[in-house]
Amino acid sequence: MEITSNDIKFIREFSGNLYKDLEDIRKFAEENYIPIAKPEVAAFLNFIVKVKKPKKVLEIGTAIGYSAIIIANAYKNANIVTIERDINLAEIAKENFKKAKVEDRIDLICGEAQEVLQNLTNKYDLIFVDAAKGQYIEFYKEIKRILNREGIIMWDNILYKGYVVNEKNVKHKRRTIVYRMREFLKILNEDKTLHTVILPLGDGVALNFKEV
Ligand SMILES: C[S@@+](CC[C@H](N)C(=O)[O-])C[C@H]1O[C@@H](n2cnc3c(N)ncnc32)[C@H](O)[C@@H]1O
């Protein structure tokens, strides 16, 4: 027997207690319909950062800074560049970084990720992608260029609310995203330069590891 959505709910409740000090941000996000990483994804991100100890981290999709603060707290030597296109969310994120006393290690770039990525020249040890699902293929091309050797990419929401698997229930407006996400997963699967795993966490998480 395989895991069911009830098991996933259990895992979520179990993971929910890990971040008491970030509860205010989570509550604010919930009340204002701002999507942030699900508790089990946040717990996994925290775990990966603790194991990997990445000095340079890139995040695409800051929202109000919840996941960036988790990364900063998980490893005190991590320096983070995070990209957000919504100026209002970016302002709230900056305030949250100050409150969490991590603002000196987080550089928030407000802009369209695709454009910002093209101008990045540094290499990153961990790249967390949590932004427009329809653009993952474009992000992928740029991200591979700036991923360090032994670097990890973590992609959130790759099963897109279950629609990537369960195409029947997809409304018309979401179809393009689903097709693009399937295409993206096919590209990941066929790319032999990276090791890839897909995990049934939250909305689906994919991980790449660049060995050489
Ligand atoms: C799911 S939220 C990020 C949540 C955040 N990572 C967290 O867990 O706290 C996605 C964010 O990505 C931003 N975004 C989406 N597409 C983007 C793009 N192409 N460039 C920059 N930001 C983007 C959205 O404005 C939104 O705030």
Side-chain angles (χ1 to χ4, degrees), residues 6-210:
N6 268 344
D7 297 319
I8 291 173
K9 269 189 212 143
F10 173 81
I11 295 169
R12 184 158 303 158
E13 281 158 22
F14 178 81
S15 313
N17 294 328
L18 287 172
Y19 300 105
K20 280 267 180 278
D21 49 337
L22 296 183
E23 259 332 289
D24 285 352
I25 300 183
R26 181 165 279 289
K27 239 187 229 159
F28 181 89
E30 245 170 55
E31 285 164 10
N32 293 282
Y33 308 101
I34 300 165
I36 60 169
K38 302 264 187 314
E40 66 275 28
V41 175
F44 183 68
L45 179 62
N46 177 67
F47 185 91
I48 288 282
V49 174
K50 285 199 179 288
V51 173
K52 172 70 187 157
K53 298 187 177 23
K55 291 218 168 77
K56 285 186 182 293
V57 181
L58 173 67
E59 175 182 67
I60 307 179
T62 321
I64 55 172
Y66 176 71
S67 50
I69 295 173
I70 286 172
I71 296 167
N73 283 344
Y75 183 50
K76 303 287 176 208
N77 291 326
N79 282 294
I80 303 158
V81 171
T82 181
I83 308 170
E84 174 55 58
R85 67 180 169 196
D86 182 322
I87 188 152
N88 297 318
L89 294 179
E91 288 305 322
I92 300 172
K94 280 185 192 165
E95 284 307 309
N96 285 334
F97 296 156
K98 277 188 202 147
K99 281 186 209 153
K101 298 189 174 48
V102 291
E103 79 275 19
D104 53 334
R105 289 190 288 124
I106 304 182
D107 179 14
L108 196 162
I109 302 176
C110 195
E112 270 297 326
Q114 255 179 279
E115 286 165 27
V116 176
L117 284 171
Q118 282 169 18
N119 295 319
L120 295 181
T121 48
N122 278 332
K123 296 234 170 185
Y124 296 86
D125 308 306
L126 173 69
I127 302 180
F128 177 50
V129 190
D130 189 15
K133 317 304 160 216
Q135 292 177 11
Y136 276 20
I137 293 176
E138 284 75 24
F139 294 159
Y140 185 61
K141 290 176 193 154
E142 288 298 325
I143 281 174
K144 273 191 75 175
R145 179 182 60 79
I146 52 172
L147 180 66
N148 241 339
R149 196 174 149 257
E150 300 204 334
I152 293 173
I153 314 174
M154 176 170 163
W155 307 85
D156 198 7
N157 310 107
I158 51 102
L159 297 180
Y160 189 47
K161 303 174 198 291
Y163 295 131
V164 171
V165 179
N166 230 329
E167 203 183 345
K168 265 190 286 174
N169 305 326
V170 184
K171 293 212 175 85
H172 187 72
K173 63 176 184 179
R174 290 181 165 143
R175 237 167 248 166
T176 310
I177 297 182
V178 170
Y179 291 146
R180 289 186 65 80
M181 193 56 94
R182 282 192 175 173
E183 183 61 26
F184 168 68
L185 294 176
K186 190 165 169 272
I187 291 171
L188 282 194
N189 198 29
E190 288 171 358
D191 186 343
K192 299 303 170 211
T193 66
L194 300 173
H195 299 279
T196 299
V197 284
I198 292 180
L199 302 173
L201 282 176
D203 204 8
V205 165
L207 285 179
N208 308 120
F209 175 61
K210 179 178 176 176

